[in-house]
């Protein structure tokens, strides 16, 4: 989406919507102007601005991600091999680095609200119980969803 269209839609939505999600499917942080788009929308009158992310965004986009109200990480396994098998072409280490940075930012600044979506499927269904115990509920909301086949 062109930046001009984004700004037009944000401006038209400002007094009509209370919450904006910067994506439906796909990775919002891949947009070349992600940082400036986030900066623009965070100056507007929305109660909540959020994204879903696979967490493999570059360091130069981290501050923009941390400025959001809610960040929903897609984490389908806490095991590096399983994760990288499920999330092909993504780095478990990069996800951990960005997730931990977001968590640290939340502890220091109170935001973003962090949520994890785990898509439960045959490769990771054995992890659900341990997954629940892996994150402090006071800092991280965890949600489990069935895989869409």
């Amino acid at each position: 989406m062109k930046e001009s269209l984004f700004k037009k839609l944000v401006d038209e939505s400002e007094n009509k919507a209370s919450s904006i999600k910067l994506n439906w499917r796909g990775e919002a942080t891949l947009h070349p102007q992600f940082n400036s788009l986030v900066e623009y929308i965070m100056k507007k009158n929305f109660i909540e601005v959020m994204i879903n992310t696979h967490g493999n965004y570059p360091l130069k986009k981290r501050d923009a991600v941390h400025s959001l109200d809610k960040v929903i990480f897609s984490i389908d396994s806490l095991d590096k091999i399983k994760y990288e098998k499920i999330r092909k072409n993504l780095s478990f280490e990069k996800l951990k680095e960005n997730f931990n940075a977001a968590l640290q930012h939340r502890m220091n600044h109170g935001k973003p609200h962090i949520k994890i979506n785990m898509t439960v499927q045959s490769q990771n269904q054995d992890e659900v119980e341990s997954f629940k115990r892996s994150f402090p509920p006071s800092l991280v909301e965890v949600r489990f969803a069935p895989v869409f086949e």
Side-chain angles (χ1 to χ4, degrees):
M1 177 184 296
K2 291 184 179 181
E3 190 169 356
S4 59
L5 178 58
F6 175 85
K7 288 180 176 182
K8 180 179 186 286
L9 293 171
V10 166
D11 292 345
E12 288 177 4
S13 302
E14 184 175 12
N15 295 312
K16 297 176 184 146
S18 58
S19 179
I20 296 281
K21 185 183 264 190
L22 297 177
N23 65 296
W24 169 240
R25 297 274 186 215
E27 182 61 34
T29 63
L30 290 175
H31 194 286
Q33 284 83 36
F34 178 76
N35 291 356
S36 64
L37 299 178
V38 168
E39 184 179 338
Y40 184 80
I41 198 169
M42 294 308 292
K43 291 177 182 174
K44 298 296 180 173
N45 190 29
F46 294 104
I47 294 171
E48 181 179 63
V49 180
M50 64 184 124
I51 64 165
N52 287 68
T53 180
H54 55 45
N56 272 236
Y57 46 84
L59 181 60
K60 66 183 179 182
K61 298 198 177 176
R62 196 179 279 174
D63 287 344
V65 170
H66 293 173
S67 74
L68 297 167
D69 300 304
K70 183 187 282 187
V71 180
I72 305 162
F73 286 90
S74 297
I75 305 177
D76 297 322
S77 179
L78 296 178
D79 176 88
K80 175 181 172 42
I81 295 170
K82 278 187 196 178
Y83 173 85
E84 290 179 354
K85 185 176 180 182
I86 294 168
R87 295 279 174 167
K88 295 182 184 352
N89 301 315
L90 295 180
S91 164
F92 184 71
E93 294 306 318
K94 186 69 171 173
L95 164 68
K96 276 180 34 180
E97 181 184 315
N98 283 330
F99 177 83
N100 287 334
L103 188 59
Q104 188 65 49
H105 193 273
R106 176 164 173 69
M107 290 188 294
N108 293 339
H109 303 285
K111 71 185 252 190
H113 175 82
I114 298 173
K115 184 174 177 179
I116 295 172
N117 281 345
M118 178 189 189
T119 302
V120 181
Q121 49 202 293
S122 60
Q123 298 102 309
N124 65 5
Q125 62 189 5
D126 60 322
E127 289 186 70
V128 170
E129 290 307 313
S130 63
F131 205 95
K132 288 177 186 176
R133 295 186 297 272
S134 296
F135 302 96
S138 60
L139 294 174
V140 178
E141 179 184 350
V142 179
R143 180 178 170 267
F144 299 93
V147 68
F148 296 107
E149 306 222 14

